[in-house]
Amino acid sequence: MGKIYVVGLGPGNKDRLTLGAIDRINSGDANYLRTENHPTVEYFKEKNIPYKAYDYFYEDEEDFKTVYENIVEALVIESKDKVINYFVPGNPLLAEKTVELLKEKKDLEIEIVSGMSFIEPLIELVDRDPIDGLRLVDGSVFDMLDIDINSDTIVTQVYNRRILSEIKLALSEVYGDDYMIYTIHSAGVRGEEEKNLIPIYELDRIEEVGPLTSLYIPKIEKKDKKTFDFNDLLGIIKLLRSKDGCPWDMEQTHESIRQCMIEEAYELVDAIDKGDIDDISEELGDVLLQVLLHSEIAYEEGGFNIYDTMSKLAKKLIYRHPHVFKEKKLVNSSQIGYNWNELKYNKRNIVKVSDKFKDLPRLPGLMMSFKIQEKAAEVGFDWEDLKDPLDKIREEYKELLEAIDKFPLGHIHIEEELGDLLFATVNTSRFLKVNPELALNKAIDKFKSRFEFIERSAEEQGKKLEDMTLEEMDHLWDKAKDDERKVW
């Protein structure tokens, strides 16, 4: 079995080489470089020390993942039954994919000879202390999840304009086009170091970009705060609930604010129905507020915290999506819905349909009816086609009329027959693929709109509604209805 010394060449000039790196360079063992496009390679040339560089892999392959895999396979072959040196820029354990891949290899002895990373000289250039938080991310796979507005961020591997353009789009979404960031070139290379403070919108317009280019994104300072993240929200909720916070927020319990969750959910649905994007964004925030408040109340009582809530959700999503996280097989959306329910019931040891009924939360009547009918349909207790539920509506309507003839208004039998008619109507909505709750809400909105038209028309005629006949109001109602149909 061979051995590979993985050696860091430091950030730039040869005077930043460690003694350990110099010892390996002069060891007499074969030297291999991931790239000779690095200032420290000058030391090899001055001392006439032979080496082999793997730059040709970059020329042969467009995909960097393949490049790194090819380099590793070449190193494994070269190190068979002998000791070799493998040199990488900076520190081998920092943003070096080939080293990660080498460490995954079994039956291969690896020893790391550390080197100074590019971080130290970069921090010196921007003159910022990272004590309050510093993130290091790979620019070649950068996305919005890498953004942390409350920490400074170094983005490395930004060696071409395509990568810069993609990073620019992600940063603009969060920080805005005019937020100032640093571009850094050749950090640690004496005489070539360069830093520029530019707005994000200029990011893909910079003239110099290459292997030694990095970005430094300062965190958003509290005094300039216009954008907030999840941690900011947690801090605000904790403050509101603290002795220095808001008296109303401090008094709330799970029970006192439970109605708020229902109200906020309905306001969100209303915003979605209206197609108001700004309103949807705001109402989603109000729903999230309820989640954070309940989690903070539970934390203060020693029950659970927001991380427990998020972890349970994450585990549930992973467990109920085996086709994504385990089997990796394609399924259609109807199968996904069915599997989701089956996995949920398996977890809770629910087998009987009646137990599934009991497992349902207390929902509004229309929604509960819809859910119960769905559960019954899963085991085949259902009509064959749309004609059957429509016939059932007619049957229940007839029985309601019979009950009205036999009993006084408000009688329990009339109540039961009216319930049966509503239940049959909900069943029909399933076959029509219409959510009955949403359909009823739209009918309510339609009623309000038409009545507003009647009231407005009456005012234009100088009349009060109380003085109008039912026939007059019916006439205006029909006119409002006709006006609606003109836009269909």
Side-chain angles (χ1 to χ4, degrees), residues 63-119:
D63 177 22
F64 282 102
K65 181 176 180 291
T66 305
V67 170
Y68 298 145
E69 290 172 348
N70 288 344
I71 290 174
V72 168
E73 290 305 317
L75 288 168
V76 170
I77 293 171
E78 296 288 357
S79 65
K80 189 176 182 180
D81 300 324
K82 65 179 179 180
V83 175
I84 66 171
N85 299 316
Y86 173 52
F87 296 90
V88 296
N91 187 315
L93 297 179
L94 188 66
E96 186 55 58
K97 190 63 180 179
T98 55
V99 177
E100 287 182 35
L101 295 173
L102 278 171
K103 290 167 68 177
E104 293 173 2
K105 293 289 183 182
K106 297 178 180 179
D107 302 323
L108 182 63
E109 185 179 356
I110 294 175
E111 184 172 331
I112 303 294
V113 180
S114 191
M116 178 187 285
S117 75
F118 68 94
I119 294 178

Side-chain angles (χ1 to χ4, degrees), residues 6 14 74 93 103 151 261 296 422 453 485 487:
V6 182
K14 60 185 180 181
L93 297 179
K103 290 167 68 177
S151 295
M261 178 62 86
E296 179 60 22
L422 291 172
F453 176 83
R485 289 174 175 170
V487 297

Side-chain angles (χ1 to χ4, degrees), residues 451-466:
F451 202 87
E452 184 181 354
F453 176 83
I454 293 173
E455 201 165 38
R456 188 171 61 251
S457 298
E459 289 175 359
E460 291 171 356
Q461 296 174 21
K463 296 180 180 179
K464 292 183 178 180
L465 289 181
E466 296 87 340

Side-chain angles (χ1 to χ4, degrees), residues 173 267-286:
E173 289 287 332
E267 288 178 13
L268 171 59
V269 171
D270 185 52
I272 293 171
D273 287 343
K274 291 176 180 174
D276 188 330
I277 295 299
D278 289 337
D279 209 14
I280 292 173
S281 175
E282 182 174 344
E283 296 302 338
L284 280 169
D286 290 344

Side-chain angles (χ1 to χ4, degrees), residues 144-181:
M144 199 173 290
L145 293 177
D146 292 311
I147 294 175
D148 182 354
I149 63 173
N150 291 311
S151 295
D152 287 6
T153 302
I154 294 174
V155 186
T156 185
Q157 305 279 46
V158 288
Y159 32 74
N160 62 43
R161 279 189 171 74
R162 178 188 61 79
I163 292 175
L164 287 175
S165 181
E166 292 174 355
I167 294 173
K168 167 188 166 180
L169 292 174
L171 294 180
S172 294
E173 289 287 332
V174 177
Y175 294 92
D177 292 336
D178 296 319
Y179 193 77
M180 304 300 287
I181 65 174

Side-chain angles (χ1 to χ4, degrees), residues 394-408 413-414 417:
R394 295 185 185 96
E395 176 188 323
E396 298 298 349
Y397 174 66
K398 182 180 177 183
E399 291 180 5
L400 174 61
L401 293 179
E402 292 172 355
I404 292 172
D405 287 339
K406 288 183 180 179
F407 305 102
H413 287 301
I414 294 178
E417 294 301 341

